[in-house]
Amino acid sequence: MSSSSSGGVGVQDERGANKPNILRLTLGAKNLDKKDLFGKSDPYICIYAIQRAPTLAALPGGMETFFYNERLVYRSEVIMKTLDPTWKTFDLPLDLIGGPNAMLGIQCYDWDKDGGHDMIGYLSLDVKSLTKEGPCAAFQKKKSSKSSGQLYVIRAEYLYRPVSLIGGYSISLAAHGLDAKDGPGKKSDPFLEFVNGETQKVFYRTEYIRQTLSPEWAPFTLYLEDLGTMLDKVIIVNCYDWDEDGSHDLIGSFACKGMDLTFKGMFPLINPNISRPLYKNSGILNILDSHDVPTFRQFPPTNAFQIRCGAAKLGSVVSNPSPFLEVHLQVPNQAPRLLHRSEIVPKTRAPVFNPFIITIPPVLVGPTVETRLCFTLTNQEGSGVQTHLGILTTTLANIMLPNAYYKLGSAADKSNGAFYVESCSPVPAEKIPPFPVGFKVSCCGRNLDRKDGPLAKSDPFIEVWTADLPGKQVMLYRSEFVKQDLNPVWEPFNVTSSYDTFDSREGYVRRGGSVDSPLDLLVYDWDASGHHDLIGKFQFTIRELTFGPQQKNLINPEKVGNFNYKSSGVFFFEKLDPIWTDDQASSNNPLLLSSSFQFEIFASKLPAQLRAADPYIEVRLKDWNVSGTVRPVLLYRSEVCPKTSSPVWSPFVLHLGKHVAEGLMQFARVADARTALAVPAFNGWQDITLQITCYDFETRGDHKLMGQIEIPMTELAFKTITKPFKSGDSGSLTIARFVPVAPETLPSSPLWPLPPLPQGAFEIKFAGIKLDAKDLRSSDPFFTIQNPQTGSLLYRSEIIKQNLNPDWAPFALPTTAAGLAWHSKLLITVYDWDKDGSHDVIGVTMPTLRELLLARCPWTLKLDRGRLEASDTGGGLVFSSFRPLDTYTPPPVAQAYSFKFCCKKLDAMDVTTSDPFLKVENNKNITIYRSEVHMKDLNPSFDPFNLDVQDSIGGPDAQLKISIYDWDKDGTHDLLGCVSVSVRVLLMGSFYYGLERGGSTHGALVLEEIIPVPLESIPFTILAESYELHVSMHKLEKMDGPLKKADPFFEVHVGNQETKTYRSEVVKQDLNPVFKPFQLDVRAAGGFDQPLIIQVHDWDADGRHDKIGRVRMNLRDLLFGSFRYPIIGDGGRSFGGFQIDKFIPIPSLPTPPPPALAYQLHVSGCKIKKTDVVRKPDPFFNVYVEAGPNSSALRVKVYRSEVIKTESNPTFLPFVVRVDDVKGLDTPFQLEMFDWDKDGSHDYCGTATTTLKELLFGFITLPLMNGHDSSGGGLNVDAIFPMAIPPVFPPLAPAYSFNVSGKKLDSMDPGPMGKSDPYFDISIEVPIISATSSSSSSSYGSHQQQHVPKRSIRIYRSEVVMKSLNPYWSGFILNTADLGGSYDS
């Protein structure tokens, strides 16, 4: 074998040379089997790339293969009449076959004319076998293991060839022996279609060839995207006989892979509809030539196409039709778009239409091969009646293929002739004819429906709206109405493909619309009430108007489906004059001429009750985005027209457009930069809808709604408009005049320009009118003003006693400090004052500052009760003055104040009375003051107290929580009520505040006085570093049964982690114990404001101390003096009181000494569990700690006590625990108690777990737990003493002498007298050291315990003692080194 390479750039090896990528072969064969009856064979070979050993499989198209997961990579030419062929040299790309080590399968066939090629033999081998010249391998017969010939490699060499991109394959096809489909004496008109086997879509069609059974088609190209990148797509090839009516008959078909079409070869055409005996095929398709080409499919870069088309054999519906053609574009989820309407071809069944150009709007779908078009043929009769002839829906790709003949479908799904596309060619952009921007339309109506009764006609007018903006339709035109005419002629008007709107930021802009944008044309019957009745409507586009004058049926959707309903009249586009420039398309739309407009509005037929109404109107912007909230914005409020049902209000001006946005931006600004408010978006006239509401004025402010209309600004641009009220009541509003006004000619108005918000305050004066009587016949009214967004109180008025028409004093409402803006709402609440603080609400109202500005003073606001009643008003709030203050000085806030509070009408919590005290907390829930207790007093007056506004409270606007409690001996002080209020509100003066509890008022907290005091007058509390606490408990629960008391002790835990810092002594049998004082370091407690948790327990001898409850406090709370806290137990109830009797500051505690190296423990037992039936236990205990990482055991014994015989309450000898042995003060270790037995089976009593730090708190009884909740008694740690010098273990001796005996061994020998012959072994366990274990142990070390594999080594075996159950063995000596060399071995 030779290897060569040629020039080019490609993959290089490590020496820089190009690697071979082609295997060039010349193959031959010898002694092939003879397959032809009177000759030899016509052999050719197929080569497959395979991945598994040979097995039987099937290939589409009837061919056979014997290889699993195969892929055809080469097919040779046919050599006629030989058994020793030599085929032409060919190239195998290595990347195609899988590389130089791939497996290949080779099949040898005998070619037959009918396509039924006989297999001579097959073989499989690797690529390397083909690189050795000479005999290669034997072909194997199909059904036996015999040889059917020998394969020879005549020449083989590796080459390098630059890789060129392949875009497709140029293919030449012919056929012979086709079936005749055109009847006796005729042949066929064959053509081919290539279909994707997966999607069933046609991707290529050949031309048809007239009257032949042996056609040869022109060469064509199939692209890789159709055949598959790896040429592995399944392709179906269909051969048809062409028919003029589009009903092409199938001759035959076959299926193959894309690779099969890249080689010369023949395929039988099989017709699945033929089932006659001895049927073989309907002809043979021959691939004459196939070679790759470097071209790729490119869709034409245009959206316009010229189409030449026609139809044939029309007339199954109409005998002599006059057809015209319509072409629609099908858009997903939208109505079809008309692209073309042809001329009418009179009196013919085979029309040929004039060539035409369709333009596909790229904004809709863009032209692609999948663009779907609908071709509709319609017969136009002279009477105007149209008859459907047929329809065809196909893709743009299909009509661009040659020979595009199709059957026309009909409503009955029958063939109605054929439609054909002679050509469909792309049109360059520069040759696309221009579209007019619009038309001047002259129009009329015919035979419109009667809407004004049988004896009258209709008053029709038209409206044109956009239809492509869901939810944002824009009116483009409204005509005049024509009185009493069913055949109206309207004035001409302009309609354009795009429409003009005004944008506040950029001025005049062209927005939306194109020649294909749908437009709605509606015809109404005008009514004076504004309830204009719809006659009918239709949809059209500017593109449709380019097809010339036309008529449209007017369809009323409410009548569709009625018997014999066709239309509500006909609309005629009589004359269409094209408009070519934007200048010609401009209109007199007033919205484009100004941004200020004068309105004249009147109403008619307003509803009247018992009296004539006093109507007025309010004009608002509907659904405007202000500060992120969508709500209407008031623009104007008219005067009141007294006593009339047909009011005519004074003309007024609204400044809209750009000035709306500017004005709204101004009142959206606030002085406080910390408040971020969204500036409303304004995108043009289509965003503005006016809401006009008509009210009947009432003196109490409950103005009755009479009706409301909503009208987009775009509707106002065309003619006078009358609209009925939405509420359903009678009456309508008419906008009689809407004219632009030059802004510079107008005086200043409340809206434009909007005055800047005063930097100080407004002076406001309120009065009440006809308020509800809350106190039998009258009320004591006062009002408050709040900011509803923040909840802060801005003002509280004085109280006017016994008056239903109060007149309050003027007041100043601050704006900047309160964070108000023009759009800010004010929550105004009117109350009836009560002594107990439960002030009754008379009514509320929520105007904005802007509404107050626009009001015509005096104006009455309705006070809403907030209940669904027949009369839901609590009276009226009249404001008679609203003016900005040029100068305003807010009241000063001192640094400190003296507060004096009392209470009125408190609840009796102790049967008939209460023992109240007051507690003040800041907004961080930290107690900053606690008062004295007033015993048996429901109207207490507390001592004055001083507070620092900044440091203690957090500022004048920070909320104070003032709570009133009823003191109890057990510390469960009952809440009487609380109030949340700020210093700024308290500065508004003396007031009765309701004490809230459970959602209702329970008495009043009265601010008697608040006086500024110097900051120096507040005594400065020097906070110590440590404190001594004197603790007692009161009225504890009996925890030891009804005849006994309790043995209480407590533990102190600090911080959120509840770290234990102290444990008290046990006070035996006492429900009111007094404990020894203890000292607490503030830093150790985490500071004055960290939680301090006290856990109270009842001591039990078995160590299972019962939990009595918990107390939660902090050190700052203790600064206010002696106090009693409830001990809260399970279930949330109190189990007694925990009292801090004294809280004495002391000098800082001395630094505690460092922990000792060892401690001596004095331990005793209590009620040790008895495991023997008759006698007491013989207790001893072991001390265990967790083993280290290098130990084979889980834990290590560090001490074993002596055995104390027959004692349930033993006292053990003191013993020493080294801190290092138990791994520190905080590491838990176990003390396990056992009952000693002679036979060594010591019974387990229980385990106590503790730490040295726990024991350092003093005496403790630990429970010996045996199981989940079973106690084996108690273990007392009576004392613990540090040892300055820890005990030192004596050094290990070189060897030790052992004397061993056994007791009560089992009898292992048979028979009643049998005993045992015992001996024993001593073994040690040593780790098995390996490279893996040594590396892993060094990596982890002491971080985690390793389970190292071990093995046992016997170091001693004793002698055998015959026939003994209590043996004594001879003494023996063991070397310390053999035992591991340490105490822990």
Side-chain angles (χ1 to χ4, degrees):
M1 174 188 169
S2 62
S3 177
S4 62
S5 63
S6 59
V9 179
V11 178
Q12 295 184 336
D13 59 16
E14 60 276 6
R15 298 168 300 173
N18 293 319
K19 292 183 179 180
N21 58 1
I22 296 292
L23 177 60
R24 177 167 291 175
L25 292 172
T26 305
L27 299 182
K30 292 186 179 297
N31 303 321
L32 296 178
D33 281 0
K34 173 184 174 184
K35 290 294 184 179
D36 295 340
L37 184 61
F38 300 107
K40 297 182 179 180
S41 290
D42 308 318
Y44 71 93
I45 57 173
C46 293
I47 301 178
Y48 298 87
I50 63 175
Q51 293 183 358
R52 292 234 182 143
T55 184
L56 187 62
L59 184 70
M63 299 180 66
E64 291 178 311
T65 177
F66 286 77
F67 307 106
Y68 176 76
N69 202 8
E70 52 76 33
R71 181 160 50 89
L72 180 67
V73 295
Y74 178 71
R75 183 169 57 234
S76 74
E77 75 281 7
V78 179
I79 300 181
M80 306 298 289
K81 311 281 183 202
T82 180
L83 299 180
D84 302 307
T86 298
W87 291 284
K88 292 180 180 179
T89 301
F90 62 93
D91 292 340
L92 285 180
L94 293 181
D95 58 348
L96 182 64
I97 63 177
N101 298 316
M103 288 292 294
L104 299 177
I106 303 178
Q107 297 177 10
C108 185
Y109 288 93
D110 171 44
W111 179 86
D112 288 326
K113 287 184 179 181
D114 60 359
H117 316 304
D118 301 316
M119 177 178 282
I120 297 175
Y122 70 93
L123 58 86
S124 62
L125 42 70
D126 58 15
V127 174
K128 291 182 179 179
S129 300
L130 291 176
T131 62
K132 300 175 182 179
E133 298 175 358
C136 182
F139 287 108
Q140 184 180 336
K141 291 186 177 181
K142 179 178 178 181
K143 295 183 179 180
S144 71
S145 59
K146 295 182 179 180
S147 173
S148 57
Q150 181 75 30
L151 178 69
Y152 277 79
V153 178
I154 299 174
R155 182 174 177 78
E157 61 178 334
Y158 280 121
L159 301 173
Y160 168 75
R161 185 173 67 188
V163 178
S164 60
L165 295 177
I166 298 175
Y169 287 84
S170 176
I171 301 177
S172 299
L173 296 178
H176 61 270
L178 300 182
D179 289 351
K181 291 292 187 177
D182 292 342
K186 294 187 178 181
K187 298 182 180 180
S188 293
D189 307 320
F191 68 92
L192 299 174
E193 276 188 356
F194 292 80
V195 183
N196 185 308
E198 181 179 354
T199 64
Q200 298 298 311
K201 291 183 178 180
V202 177
F203 61 86
Y204 187 74
R205 184 189 302 115
T206 69
E207 75 280 10
Y208 67 90
I209 300 178
R210 291 278 189 176
Q211 293 301 299
T212 179
L213 300 181
S214 300
E216 182 173 342
W217 291 279
F220 57 91
T221 299
L222 296 182
Y223 295 96
L224 277 183
E225 59 190 90
D226 300 320
L227 301 176
T229 306
M230 300 300 294
L231 301 174
D232 53 355
K233 284 188 179 180
V234 175
I235 309 298
I236 300 173
V237 183
N238 298 318
C239 183
Y240 289 97
D241 170 43
W242 179 87
D243 286 323
E244 188 178 7
D245 62 357
S247 58
H248 315 304
D249 302 315
L250 177 67
I251 297 176
S253 63
F254 68 90
C256 64
K257 292 288 185 72
M259 179 67 76
D260 292 313
L261 299 177
T262 64
F263 305 112
K264 297 178 181 179
M266 297 184 180
F267 298 88
L269 293 167
I270 307 299
N271 192 328
N273 300 321
I274 299 177
S275 58
R276 63 175 180 264
L278 302 179
Y279 171 75
K280 288 188 176 181
N281 55 57
S282 295
I284 301 296
L285 182 70
N286 187 11
I287 301 178
L288 301 177
D289 182 51
S290 180
H291 60 273
D292 57 83
V293 293
T295 57
F296 294 84
R297 172 182 289 146
Q298 293 184 351
F299 202 79
T302 181
N303 63 335
F305 300 86
Q306 186 180 60
I307 298 178
R308 299 176 183 270
C309 60
K313 296 187 178 180
L314 300 179
S316 61
V317 179
V318 179
S319 59
N320 194 17
S322 298
F324 68 91
L325 172 70
E326 288 184 338
V327 183
H328 288 84
L329 172 68
Q330 291 191 336
V331 182
N333 303 320
Q334 295 187 30
R337 303 296 179 93
L338 182 65
L339 300 181
H340 176 72
R341 182 186 292 116
S342 76
E343 73 284 5
I344 299 173
V345 183
K347 308 300 180 184
T348 178
R349 296 181 58 196
V352 177
F353 300 105
N354 293 333
F356 59 90
I357 294 175
I358 63 170
T359 303
I360 298 174
V363 294
L364 296 178
V365 292
T368 69
V369 293
E370 299 299 330
T371 300
R372 298 191 67 79
L373 300 174
C374 180
F375 297 85
T376 306
L377 284 154
T378 306
N379 173 52
Q380 178 69 55
E381 299 181 7
S383 61
V385 178
Q386 297 177 347
T387 308
H388 178 72
L389 295 178
I391 189 171
L392 167 69
T393 301
T394 185
T395 63
L396 183 61
N398 274 347
I399 65 173
M400 294 183 71
L401 295 175
N403 189 25
Y405 267 76
Y406 304 93
K407 289 191 292 185
L408 279 172
S410 65
D413 202 21
K414 297 179 180 179
S415 178
N416 202 18
F419 177 79
Y420 64 88
V421 178
E422 184 177 331
S423 67
C424 176
S425 54
V427 178
E430 62 273 10
K431 294 187 178 180
I432 300 175
F435 279 96
V437 298
F439 289 89
K440 182 175 182 180
V441 177
S442 300
C443 57
C444 64
R446 294 289 184 271
N447 302 323
L448 302 185
D449 284 355
R450 296 175 185 267
K451 290 293 184 178
D452 295 339
L455 301 179
K457 298 181 180 180
S458 294
D459 307 317
F461 68 93
I462 62 176
E463 290 182 351
V464 181
W465 292 75
T466 62
D468 60 344
L469 300 171
K472 284 192 176 183
Q473 285 79 8
V474 177
M475 178 185 287
L476 302 181
Y477 179 73
R478 182 193 293 120
S479 75
E480 75 285 3
F481 64 89
V482 181
K483 282 281 188 178
Q484 294 297 299
D485 198 339
L486 300 182
N487 299 289
V489 177
W490 291 284
E491 295 178 4
F493 63 93
N494 291 351
V495 59
T496 61
S497 58
S498 56
Y499 49 89
D500 291 332
T501 64
F502 179 81
D503 186 280
S504 65
R505 297 185 181 91
E506 301 187 15
Y508 298 98
V509 294
R510 180 78 68 182
R511 290 181 58 86
S514 68
V515 294
D516 296 291
S517 298
L519 303 175
D520 284 331
L521 189 145
L522 303 94
V523 180
Y524 288 95
D525 170 44
W526 181 89
D527 285 325
S529 66
H531 291 279
H532 313 306
D533 302 314
L534 177 66
I535 296 176
K537 65 178 183 177
F538 63 88
Q539 197 170 89
F540 71 100
T541 65
I542 297 298
R543 187 189 294 274
E544 290 183 49
L545 300 185
T546 63
F547 306 143
Q550 52 196 280
Q551 65 185 49
K552 294 281 188 177
N553 289 333
L554 290 168
I555 304 300
N556 191 326
E558 296 181 356
K559 293 186 176 182
V560 173
N562 293 351
F563 177 73
N564 208 28
Y565 175 75
K566 292 184 178 179
S567 69
S568 295
V570 181
F571 185 91
F572 287 87
F573 290 100
E574 288 189 315
K575 186 178 180 182
L576 297 167
D577 295 324
I579 299 173
W580 297 101
T581 65
D582 291 339
D583 294 338
Q584 293 176 305
S586 62
S587 64
N588 294 323
N589 188 336
L591 293 178
L592 301 176
L593 302 178
S594 178
S595 57
S596 301
F597 304 92
Q598 186 179 61
F599 290 76
E600 293 183 10
I601 299 179
F602 65 84
S604 58
K605 298 181 180 180
L606 295 182
Q609 304 297 330
L610 297 178
R611 61 170 179 82
D614 301 319
Y616 71 94
I617 58 172
E618 291 181 350
V619 183
R620 286 179 167 83
L621 282 176
K622 179 180 179 289
D623 295 343
W624 200 263
N625 178 7
V626 178
S627 186
T629 303
V630 176
R631 63 171 183 260
V633 175
L634 181 65
L635 299 180
Y636 175 76
R637 181 185 288 127
S638 76
E639 76 281 8
V640 177
C641 293
K643 312 302 181 188
T644 179
S645 60
S646 299
V648 178
W649 291 284
S650 301
F652 61 93
V653 174
L654 291 184
H655 306 280
L656 301 169
K658 184 176 182 180
H659 306 296
V660 168
E662 288 179 351
L664 291 177
M665 288 178 194
Q666 285 184 24
F667 81 70
R669 296 191 185 103
V670 292
D672 187 356
R674 293 172 299 177
T675 305
L677 297 178
V679 175
F682 177 64
N683 297 313
W685 293 113
Q686 67 274 14
D687 283 350
I688 292 184
T689 296
L690 295 182
Q691 189 181 77
I692 306 176
T693 310
C694 184
Y695 293 95
D696 178 19
F697 180 85
E698 295 287 346
T699 56
R700 293 191 73 191
D702 54 336
H703 314 304
K704 302 294 188 298
L705 174 67
M706 305 187 73
Q708 185 183 83
I709 68 170
E710 291 180 358
I711 181 166
M713 282 293 295
T714 51
E715 290 191 39
L716 293 174
F718 309 99
K719 316 296 180 186
T720 298
I721 185 169
T722 300
K723 281 213 166 191
F725 287 141
K726 287 172 55 178
S727 61
D729 295 333
S730 62
S732 62
L733 281 178
T734 299
I735 301 176
R737 185 175 174 83
F738 175 75
V739 294
V741 180
E744 59 273 8
T745 65
L746 296 172
S748 177
S749 74
L751 176 62
W752 176 64
L754 197 68
L757 196 68
Q759 294 300 306
F762 282 106
E763 184 184 80
I764 304 176
K765 188 175 188 318
F766 281 130
I769 183 171
K770 297 182 180 180
L771 300 182
D772 282 355
K774 294 293 185 177
D775 301 334
L776 294 181
R777 294 185 178 181
S778 189
S779 294
D780 305 320
F782 70 95
F783 68 88
T784 63
I785 301 179
Q786 289 177 279
N787 185 336
Q789 288 187 334
T790 63
S792 59
L793 183 67
L794 304 180
Y795 179 73
R796 183 176 63 234
S797 76
E798 74 277 15
I799 301 166
I800 299 181
K801 296 290 184 107
Q802 298 298 299
N803 197 332
L804 297 182
N805 297 284
D807 189 5
W808 290 286
F811 63 94
L813 180 68
T815 57
T816 305
L820 296 178
W822 278 116
H823 69 279
S824 298
K825 285 193 173 185
L826 300 176
L827 175 60
I828 305 175
T829 309
V830 180
Y831 293 93
D832 169 43
W833 179 87
D834 287 322
K835 284 185 178 181
D836 63 356
S838 58
H839 314 305
D840 302 314
V841 175
I842 296 176
V844 299
T845 184
M846 290 184 67
T848 65
L849 283 176
R850 193 163 183 279
E851 290 176 9
L852 298 179
L853 178 69
L854 291 176
R856 297 169 180 265
C857 293
W859 190 257
T860 305
L861 298 172
K862 169 189 168 185
L863 289 173
D864 191 353
R865 289 196 187 110
R867 299 192 296 270
L868 298 176
E869 301 177 4
S871 176
D872 61 350
T873 180
L877 185 68
V878 181
F879 66 97
S880 55
S881 174
F882 183 81
R883 68 183 184 87
L885 294 177
D886 296 332
T887 59
Y888 171 74
T889 303
V893 178
Q895 292 181 307
Y897 286 92
S898 173
F899 299 87
K900 178 76 169 68
F901 286 100
C902 67
C903 292
K904 301 293 183 184
K905 295 185 178 182
L906 296 181
D907 286 354
M909 306 299 286
D910 302 333
V911 183
T912 60
T913 187
S914 292
D915 308 317
F917 68 92
L918 175 146
K919 185 171 76 170
V920 182
E921 297 173 280
N922 62 17
N923 57 1
K924 297 180 180 179
N925 296 323
I926 296 175
T927 301
I928 57 177
Y929 178 73
R930 185 172 59 238
S931 77
E932 73 282 5
V933 178
H934 288 252
M935 306 301 290
K936 303 187 183 309
D937 193 349
L938 297 181
N939 299 283
S941 180
F942 300 103
D943 294 340
F945 59 92
N946 297 345
L947 289 179
D948 180 354
V949 173
Q950 292 296 334
D951 292 342
S952 298
I953 299 175
D957 296 304
Q959 291 292 306
L960 287 175
K961 181 180 180 183
I962 306 174
S963 304
I964 307 297
Y965 289 91
D966 171 42
W967 183 88
D968 286 324
K969 288 183 179 180
D970 63 355
T972 57
H973 315 305
D974 302 313
L975 177 67
L976 290 168
C978 61
V979 174
S980 291
V981 67
S982 68
V983 172
R984 196 178 297 279
V985 173
L986 294 176
L987 287 172
M988 293 180 183
S990 177
F991 191 69
Y992 282 60
Y993 296 93
L995 289 168
E996 297 289 333
R997 187 181 80 242
S1000 59
T1001 303
H1002 296 267
L1005 175 71
V1006 182
L1007 174 66
E1008 292 184 305
E1009 64 179 13
I1010 176 171
I1011 303 172
V1013 296
L1015 190 61
E1016 298 78 17
S1017 66
I1018 299 178
F1020 182 70
T1021 302
I1022 300 177
L1023 301 179
E1025 296 183 2
S1026 302
Y1027 288 85
E1028 183 176 270
L1029 282 74
H1030 294 244
V1031 174
S1032 62
M1033 298 182 191
H1034 301 269
K1035 301 179 72 171
L1036 295 181
E1037 291 273 342
K1038 294 181 178 181
M1039 305 299 294
D1040 296 338
L1043 300 179
K1044 294 186 178 182
K1045 298 182 180 181
D1047 305 317
F1049 70 95
F1050 66 89
E1051 295 175 342
V1052 181
H1053 300 256
V1054 299
N1056 294 322
Q1057 303 299 323
E1058 297 193 11
T1059 304
K1060 186 185 299 184
T1061 61
Y1062 177 75
R1063 182 173 62 243
S1064 76
E1065 75 279 13
V1066 178
V1067 179
K1068 296 293 187 80
Q1069 293 300 296
D1070 196 341
L1071 299 181
N1072 298 283
V1074 178
F1075 296 90
K1076 295 177 182 179
F1078 68 96
Q1079 296 174 344
L1080 190 63
D1081 185 87
V1082 175
R1083 287 177 297 178
F1088 283 91
D1089 299 314
Q1090 282 295 313
L1092 201 66
I1093 308 298
I1094 311 295
Q1095 294 188 358
V1096 183
H1097 298 272
D1098 171 45
W1099 180 88
D1100 287 325
D1102 62 357
R1104 298 168 64 185
H1105 316 305
D1106 301 317
K1107 177 183 176 183
I1108 298 177
R1110 288 163 57 97
V1111 178
R1112 187 181 180 92
M1113 63 178 74
N1114 59 48
L1115 292 181
R1116 190 178 298 279
D1117 198 49
L1118 303 181
L1119 295 173
F1120 304 117
S1122 174
F1123 194 67
R1124 189 171 296 177
Y1125 299 90
I1127 301 173
I1128 304 299
D1130 295 337
R1133 73 181 185 90
S1134 174
F1135 282 74
F1138 185 90
Q1139 181 157 323
I1140 305 295
D1141 299 305
K1142 295 181 181 179
F1143 187 66
I1144 304 172
I1146 59 176
S1148 59
L1149 294 175
T1151 303
L1157 299 178
Y1159 291 89
Q1160 186 184 67
L1161 276 63
H1162 294 246
V1163 174
S1164 62
C1166 184
K1167 296 182 180 180
I1168 302 299
K1169 180 180 179 181
K1170 184 172 67 173
T1171 59
D1172 298 331
V1173 178
V1174 178
R1175 50 181 288 171
K1176 295 181 179 181
D1178 304 321
F1180 73 95
F1181 66 87
N1182 296 326
V1183 180
Y1184 292 97
V1185 296
E1186 184 180 352
N1190 297 322
S1191 176
S1192 61
L1194 296 177
R1195 58 183 187 164
V1196 175
K1197 185 188 299 182
V1198 297
Y1199 178 74
R1200 181 176 64 237
S1201 75
E1202 74 278 15
V1203 178
I1204 299 179
K1205 297 285 188 171
T1206 60
E1207 180 62 63
S1208 297
N1209 299 290
T1211 298
F1212 299 96
L1213 294 175
F1215 67 97
V1216 176
V1217 174
R1218 295 196 307 174
V1219 175
D1220 288 344
D1221 288 343
V1222 295
K1223 298 181 175 58
L1225 296 178
D1226 297 306
T1227 304
F1229 61 92
Q1230 292 82 36
L1231 296 92
E1232 291 189 357
M1233 188 70 70
F1234 294 89
D1235 177 22
W1236 181 88
D1237 286 326
K1238 286 185 178 180
D1239 61 358
S1241 58
H1242 313 306
D1243 299 314
Y1244 175 67
C1245 295
T1247 299
T1249 301
T1250 186
T1251 65
L1252 285 176
K1253 178 178 281 189
E1254 174 79 16
L1255 301 181
L1256 288 172
F1257 291 127
F1259 170 82
I1260 187 172
T1261 302
L1262 302 172
L1264 291 167
M1265 301 305 297
N1266 186 350
H1268 176 65
D1269 195 26
S1270 176
S1271 175
L1275 185 68
N1276 298 325
V1277 180
D1278 302 302
I1280 179 170
F1281 301 102
M1283 297 186 67
I1285 302 176
V1288 179
F1289 291 107
L1292 290 172
Y1296 288 89
S1297 174
F1298 296 86
N1299 293 299
V1300 180
S1301 64
K1303 300 292 184 183
K1304 295 184 179 181
L1305 301 183
D1306 285 349
S1307 175
M1308 305 301 292
D1309 295 339
M1313 301 301 291
K1315 295 185 178 181
S1316 294
D1317 307 319
Y1319 73 95
F1320 65 88
D1321 285 340
I1322 298 178
S1323 301
I1324 64 171
E1325 290 186 341
V1326 297
I1328 301 174
I1329 304 300
S1330 65
T1332 303
S1333 62
S1334 63
S1335 62
S1336 63
S1337 64
S1338 64
S1339 299
Y1340 294 94
S1342 61
H1343 297 293
Q1344 64 182 38
Q1345 184 167 332
Q1346 299 293 311
H1347 296 283
V1348 180
K1350 300 177 183 297
R1351 61 189 178 94
S1352 296
I1353 299 177
R1354 184 186 299 119
I1355 61 173
Y1356 178 76
R1357 175 179 290 158
S1358 74
E1359 77 278 12
V1360 178
V1361 179
M1362 305 299 291
K1363 307 298 183 183
S1364 178
L1365 299 180
N1366 298 285
Y1368 286 88
W1369 287 282
S1370 302
F1372 59 94
I1373 296 174
L1374 291 180
N1375 293 323
T1376 301
D1378 294 336
L1379 294 173
S1382 71
Y1383 280 108
D1384 295 328
S1385 300

